[in-house]
Amino acid sequence: MVDSPEHEQSVRIVQLDLAALRALAAGDLVEAQRHVTVPLTPYLVEPDSRHLWQMRVGQVTGDPGSAAWVTGVVVDEPTGRVVGRAGFHGPPDDAGMVEVGYSIDTAERRRGYARAALRWMLARAAAEPGVRVVRASVSPDNAVSRGLVLAHGFVEVGDQWDDEDGLEIVYEVPAGDPTG
């Protein structure tokens, strides 16, 4: 999630269907590619990515409508290259909150892709009538990600313990906030 402010990237997030999620969760890049129109990369089947896809498979299996919200692949618009993964943790909750998540391939970091992916998600949230607030949970040790969310108008609202990630600082911004 390293980002460089001097680069303005143009990205889109391509959502994945359940078949693609299952294949990525199993580490089968060839099978996943059969279900996706953009060229997938080995980064998407590394252990951290596979763990995320496994969680998303369970989520989408239980709630098929969440497929339109959860993690997809980040595509660099000019080149069509997949440079990472990003999306929401799920559809808006009853309070209208969505939480963002993003990870850029280590080979693609420091080029502005995390910033562009976050901006894409903020624009999507602002365009959705059911979304009122966007949340980001960041490890206190992740100064780069913390700086990224703060630069987009997020403010610290508390902290939480995540069983997988440990202590996280919780940041929020109203959906449609012009500073985001």
Side-chain angles (χ1 to χ4, degrees):
M1 290 183 258
V2 177
D3 222 347
S4 178
E6 65 269 9
H7 293 91
E8 281 296 322
Q9 298 292 356
S10 175
V11 302
R12 66 187 162 101
I13 297 174
V14 174
Q15 300 305 139
L16 305 172
D17 65 15
L18 186 55
L21 290 171
R22 283 189 173 130
L24 290 172
D28 189 342
L29 199 57
V30 172
E31 177 61 20
Q33 188 63 70
R34 292 183 54 235
H35 303 278
V36 183
T37 60
V38 294
L40 302 178
T41 65
Y43 172 75
L44 300 172
V45 292
E46 290 179 0
D48 282 350
S49 290
R50 286 185 63 193
H51 178 72
L52 176 73
W53 303 129
Q54 290 163 0
M55 288 188 335
R56 297 300 178 233
V57 165
Q59 184 177 2
V60 171
T61 299
D63 177 13
S66 68
W69 286 92
V70 299
T71 313
V73 294
V74 179
V75 178
D76 176 80
E77 284 283 53
T79 66
R81 285 186 355 265
V82 171
V83 296
R85 52 185 165 78
F88 300 98
H89 290 207
D93 66 12
D94 292 340
M97 186 275 296
V98 292
E99 184 168 351
V100 296
Y102 48 90
S103 180
I104 302 302
D105 186 327
T106 52
E108 301 291 348
R109 291 182 181 168
R110 301 197 65 83
R111 296 181 182 161
Y113 290 119
R115 174 177 270 96
L118 180 58
R119 286 183 178 166
W120 188 97
M121 289 182 285
L122 288 169
R124 161 101 192 265
E128 294 284 345
V131 178
R132 290 189 286 287
V133 67
V134 180
R135 174 177 287 177
S137 301
V138 180
S139 165
D141 298 332
N142 191 338
V144 173
S145 194
R146 188 174 57 251
L148 179 60
V149 299
L150 290 172
H152 286 82
F154 286 78
V155 296
E156 185 176 332
V157 296
D159 60 43
Q160 66 186 16
W161 182 262
D162 183 273
D163 288 337
E164 293 182 27
D165 299 326
L167 179 65
E168 297 176 327
I169 308 302
V170 178
Y171 299 88
E172 292 183 349
V173 66
D177 184 331
T179 63

mmCIF file of all heavy atoms in Angstrom, residues 75 95 114 138 151 169:
data_model
loop_
_atom_site.group_PDB
_atom_site.id
_atom_site.type_symbol
_atom_site.label_atom_id
_atom_site.label_comp_id
_atom_site.label_asym_id
_atom_site.label_seq_id
_atom_site.Cartn_x
_atom_site.Cartn_y
_atom_site.Cartn_z
ATOM 1 N N VAL A 75 -7.117 -2.684 -11.822
ATOM 2 C CA VAL A 75 -6.597 -2.688 -13.184
ATOM 3 C C VAL A 75 -6.102 -1.288 -13.541
ATOM 4 O O VAL A 75 -6.842 -0.307 -13.404
ATOM 5 C CB VAL A 75 -7.698 -3.120 -14.184
ATOM 6 C CG1 VAL A 75 -7.173 -3.090 -15.622
ATOM 7 C CG2 VAL A 75 -8.224 -4.506 -13.828
ATOM 8 N N ALA A 95 -26.259 0.882 8.976
ATOM 9 C CA ALA A 95 -25.985 2.302 9.216
ATOM 10 C C ALA A 95 -25.457 2.999 7.956
ATOM 11 O O ALA A 95 -25.132 4.190 8.000
ATOM 12 C CB ALA A 95 -24.980 2.458 10.353
ATOM 13 N N ALA A 114 -2.379 2.608 -4.993
ATOM 14 C CA ALA A 114 -3.225 2.552 -3.793
ATOM 15 C C ALA A 114 -4.083 3.811 -3.699
ATOM 16 O O ALA A 114 -5.275 3.742 -3.404
ATOM 17 C CB ALA A 114 -2.377 2.378 -2.532
ATOM 18 N N VAL A 138 -6.629 0.542 9.901
ATOM 19 C CA VAL A 138 -5.212 0.538 9.554
ATOM 20 C C VAL A 138 -4.383 0.147 10.778
ATOM 21 O O VAL A 138 -4.610 0.663 11.876
ATOM 22 C CB VAL A 138 -4.778 1.941 9.057
ATOM 23 C CG1 VAL A 138 -3.310 1.965 8.691
ATOM 24 C CG2 VAL A 138 -5.647 2.388 7.884
ATOM 25 N N ALA A 151 -4.948 11.732 4.068
ATOM 26 C CA ALA A 151 -4.896 12.657 2.938
ATOM 27 C C ALA A 151 -6.219 12.702 2.175
ATOM 28 O O ALA A 151 -6.443 13.626 1.389
ATOM 29 C CB ALA A 151 -3.773 12.250 1.981
ATOM 30 N N ILE A 169 -6.382 0.946 13.938
ATOM 31 C CA ILE A 169 -6.966 2.260 14.156
ATOM 32 C C ILE A 169 -8.073 2.418 13.123
ATOM 33 O O ILE A 169 -7.884 2.126 11.938
ATOM 34 C CB ILE A 169 -5.918 3.387 14.008
ATOM 35 C CG1 ILE A 169 -4.688 3.099 14.876
ATOM 36 C CG2 ILE A 169 -6.536 4.737 14.333
ATOM 37 C CD1 ILE A 169 -4.968 2.942 16.357
#
